[in-house]
């Protein structure tokens, strides 16, 4: 599975959009981009995933560049409860689970 | 009720003791996983199971064993606990096919080995 690169930390003002970038320049054609977050030692929480089209759900939007080498997770109106570590993961559902890699993610702090 | 539950939530044990962490799920998923997380680090995969008769080692399986008693239950054992197994342990489930391997995590078990 392709590796990802994320900034270690970001701040966002409460009520503003939080845009979290992820680079995955070695992504292959059958690999999906997944985003999870972990709030202070709780179990990681699934946010959204996509293959090549932009995706939106009740939590966030995922924008994937046309060449698929990078993506951005957008939290449209960040709240204090969105403070968490956000993980970008790239993998193919067809591969074995033994190479799932969470990495160290981006620590997002939402500021009042 | 939570879809993925873990027991115990916290455990303190001594070096050399055998302990078991349990995971149950009501999501009806075939695939289950055990991860550990150390402070400041990402999650690392210990073992995973794609169905009741399937057990596979992850990247850090040494010192651990698992049992898949039923589709809904996946237990992790530390045969002889050592201090560097002090960590936060997470169980997860996924349903291959319907959601492209989206994983759903339990609340975690915080383990301290003295």
């Amino acid at each position: 599975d392709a590796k990802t690169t994320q900034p270690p930390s970001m701040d966002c003002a409460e009520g503003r959009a939080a845009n979290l970038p992820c680079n995955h320049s070695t992504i292959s054609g059958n690999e999906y981009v997944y985003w999870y977050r972990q709030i202070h030692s709780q179990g990681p929480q699934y946010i959204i995933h996509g293959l090549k089209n932009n995706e939106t759900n009740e939590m966030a939007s995922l924008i994937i560049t046309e060449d698929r080498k990078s993506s951005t997770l957008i939290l449209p109106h960040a709240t204090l409860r969105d403070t968490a570590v956000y993980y970008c993961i790239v993998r193919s559902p067809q591969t074995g689970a033994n190479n799932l890699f969470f990495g160290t993610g981006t620590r997002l702090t939402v500021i009042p | 009720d939570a879809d993925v539950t873990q027991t115990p939530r916290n455990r303190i044990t001594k070096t050399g003791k055998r302990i078991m962490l349990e995971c149950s799920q009501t999501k009806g998923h075939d695939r289950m996983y055990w991860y550990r997380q150390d402070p400041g680090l990402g999650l690392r995969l210990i073992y995973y199971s794609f169905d009741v008769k399937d057990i596979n080692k992850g990247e850090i399986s040494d010192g651990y064993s698992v049992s898949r008693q039923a589709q809904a239950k996946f237990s992790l054992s530390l045969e002889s606990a050592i201090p560097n197994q002090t960590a936060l342990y997470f169980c997860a489930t996924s349903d291959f096919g319907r959601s492209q391997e989206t994983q759903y995590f339990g609340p975690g078990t915080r383990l301290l080995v003295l």
Side-chain angles (χ1 to χ4, degrees):
Chain A
D1 291 334
K3 247 190 119 170
T4 62
T5 304
Q6 300 176 252
S9 64
M10 292 181 63
D11 293 339
C12 177
E14 187 178 17
R16 304 296 294 269
N19 297 279
L20 291 90
C22 180
N23 287 322
H24 31 80
S25 58
T26 59
I27 192 170
S28 61
N30 64 347
E31 288 180 319
Y32 286 74
V33 180
Y34 299 79
W35 283 85
Y36 288 79
R37 72 180 182 183
Q38 187 175 22
I39 300 172
H40 189 55
S41 298
Q42 296 178 20
Q45 177 188 23
Y46 165 77
I47 301 173
I48 199 167
H49 75 283
L51 183 61
K52 52 184 178 181
N53 297 320
N54 297 338
E55 302 287 346
T56 296
N57 64 19
E58 65 278 4
M59 290 183 67
S61 294
L62 173 60
I63 308 298
I64 303 174
T65 58
E66 192 169 343
D67 64 7
R68 303 209 322 122
K69 293 184 177 182
S70 66
S71 60
T72 301
L73 177 74
I74 301 172
L75 308 179
H77 305 286
T79 71
L80 299 179
R81 288 177 294 181
D82 292 322
T83 292
V85 178
Y86 288 77
Y87 296 97
C88 169
I89 301 164
V90 174
R91 71 185 300 271
S92 166
Q94 280 75 38
T95 59
N98 59 349
N99 52 354
L100 184 67
F101 181 67
F102 268 77
T104 53
T106 296
R107 182 173 297 278
L108 174 70
T109 302
V110 180
I111 302 169
Chain B
D1 287 339
D3 294 320
V4 184
T5 57
Q6 292 183 233
T7 56
R9 294 294 312 278
N10 295 280
R11 178 75 184 268
I12 300 173
T13 192
K14 294 182 178 180
T15 297
K17 294 290 187 181
R18 181 181 188 276
I19 67 162
M20 179 181 291
L21 310 182
E22 300 191 6
C23 177
S24 295
Q25 53 115 346
T26 58
K27 299 187 74 67
H29 290 171
D30 288 328
R31 299 186 170 193
M32 298 186 73
Y33 309 79
W34 275 104
Y35 294 88
R36 69 175 276 176
Q37 185 174 36
D38 297 280
L41 301 180
L43 280 75
R44 292 185 291 169
L45 185 63
I46 305 172
Y47 270 96
Y48 62 101
S49 168
F50 283 176
D51 64 42
V52 175
K53 298 179 182 179
D54 176 76
I55 300 291
N56 303 281
K57 292 183 178 181
E59 63 177 299
I60 53 163
S61 59
D62 288 347
Y64 301 95
S65 63
V66 291
S67 172
R68 185 81 184 267
Q69 301 95 322
Q71 185 200 39
K73 296 184 182 297
F74 193 35
S75 300
L76 176 72
S77 294
L78 286 67
E79 298 300 326
S80 179
I82 56 177
N84 76 1
Q85 292 177 312
T86 292
L88 191 52
Y89 290 85
F90 292 105
C91 173
T93 74
S94 69
D95 182 16
F96 177 73
R98 283 194 297 169
S99 59
Q100 290 88 41
E101 279 287 342
T102 299
Q103 293 193 12
Y104 298 88
F105 287 80
T109 294
R110 190 174 297 277
L111 175 65
L112 173 62
V113 183
L114 300 175

